[in-house]
Amino acid sequence: GAGVSQSPSNKVTEKGKDVELRCDPISGHTALYWYRQSLGQGLEFLIYFQGNSAPDKSGLPSDRFSAERTGGSVSTLTIQRTQQEDSAVYLCASSFRTGGNTEAFFGQGTRLTVV
Amino acid sequence: AQTVTQSQPEMSVQEAETVTLSCTYDTSESDYYLFWYKQPPSRQMILVIRQEAYKQQNATENRFSVNFQKAAKSFSLKISDSQLGDAAMYFCAYRSATYGNNDMRFGAGTRLTVKP
């Protein structure tokens, strides 16, 4: 696609339910990132995928959070047993593997509201 | 892990004036990359400017320029001739140049208001 696509754009869920957030990166981008942005706050790093390497999961806040990246392309962030503090915008970004100065392109995020 | 600090939660500037947004970072690496991103109310993150740490010359993109002080680990963004469309959240970001360690770390952001 032309850009990073995230779905759904908005999600309201009940406390205790599981949710899946999807990210379609730009074709050919091997690096994929997930960030969480609470209301009016900065970007909190969650997880990073780089090609076939083991992902950097150091930012995941609890074992309720997990992410997969299938076939080196689409990624799914799963939050189990959602809590109200999980309410935030979840941003996905992708970039080329080579060159640390390459730009990370962001999707428009999924706004998750846990009620 | 590297940390990025933006000490100004909010800044305000008069239209057509100049404003500087501050960013400091903590790293033990000698080679890395720094970025400023803009996030308008639409939530779409947009790259404003980038700087390679091995370059001494400060990056410039039209009305946007940086003051990169490597020894001080400082990377400020200067916006000249501010326009109403510059109003947004601005995020400073760090990215390692080490192969296989290219995740990006962001500061907490600075909300810029432009007054007409």
Side-chain angles (χ1 to χ4, degrees):
Chain A
V4 177
S5 177
Q6 291 188 248
S7 60
S9 55
N10 289 283
K11 175 73 176 178
V12 180
T13 189
E14 292 181 352
K15 179 182 174 181
K17 300 282 190 182
D18 298 352
V19 294
E20 286 189 352
L21 311 181
R22 178 186 170 102
C23 174
D24 281 274
I26 293 173
S27 178
H29 282 191
T30 58
L32 187 147
Y33 318 79
W34 282 99
Y35 295 90
R36 178 168 69 176
Q37 185 177 27
S38 300
L39 185 62
Q41 301 300 309
L43 277 69
E44 175 188 5
F45 168 75
L46 296 178
I47 188 169
Y48 161 67
F49 295 89
Q50 173 65 71
N52 295 321
S53 302
D56 177 354
K57 303 180 181 180
S58 61
L60 294 178
S62 77
D63 58 8
R64 296 187 295 106
F65 288 72
S66 62
E68 291 185 343
R69 190 176 184 193
T70 54
S73 181
V74 172
S75 178
T76 302
L77 177 69
T78 301
I79 308 173
Q80 296 179 310
R81 305 181 301 283
T82 52
Q83 312 267 325
Q84 288 187 327
E85 59 262 29
D86 299 334
S87 296
V89 173
Y90 290 82
L91 290 167
C92 174
S94 71
S95 70
F96 285 116
R97 174 183 181 183
T98 57
N101 67 338
T102 53
E103 178 181 355
F105 293 82
F106 282 79
Q108 289 197 286
T110 294
R111 181 180 297 280
L112 175 66
T113 303
V114 182
V115 298
Chain B
Q2 293 81 11
T3 57
V4 179
T5 302
Q6 293 179 249
S7 59
Q8 305 155 317
E10 296 184 355
M11 290 286 284
S12 178
V13 64
Q14 204 72 33
E15 192 176 8
E17 297 293 309
T18 296
V19 64
T20 299
L21 308 184
S22 301
C23 173
T24 59
Y25 55 93
D26 182 25
T27 185
S28 59
E29 299 179 324
S30 60
D31 198 12
Y32 48 87
Y33 303 91
L34 298 164
F35 306 81
W36 279 98
Y37 276 84
K38 170 185 177 181
Q39 187 184 42
S42 68
R43 291 201 317 238
Q44 182 67 58
M45 294 278 281
I46 303 164
L47 178 67
V48 174
I49 198 165
R50 77 189 90 187
Q51 174 81 42
E52 291 90 346
Y54 62 83
K55 290 187 177 179
Q56 292 187 340
Q57 186 173 8
N58 289 323
T60 299
E61 289 284 346
N62 300 314
R63 298 183 295 107
F64 299 88
S65 61
V66 299
N67 183 5
F68 173 48
Q69 301 289 327
K70 191 172 185 179
K73 298 178 183 176
S74 171
F75 182 60
S76 60
L77 174 70
K78 185 170 83 171
I79 306 174
S80 304
D81 186 24
S82 297
Q83 300 176 359
L84 295 177
D86 294 335
M89 283 287 288
Y90 286 81
F91 294 96
C92 177
Y94 173 103
R95 189 180 198 177
S96 172
T98 302
Y99 178 80
N101 183 27
N102 299 134
D103 61 324
M104 294 183 74
R105 302 300 172 115
F106 287 79
T110 296
R111 182 176 301 281
L112 178 65
T113 302
V114 181
K115 297 179 179 178

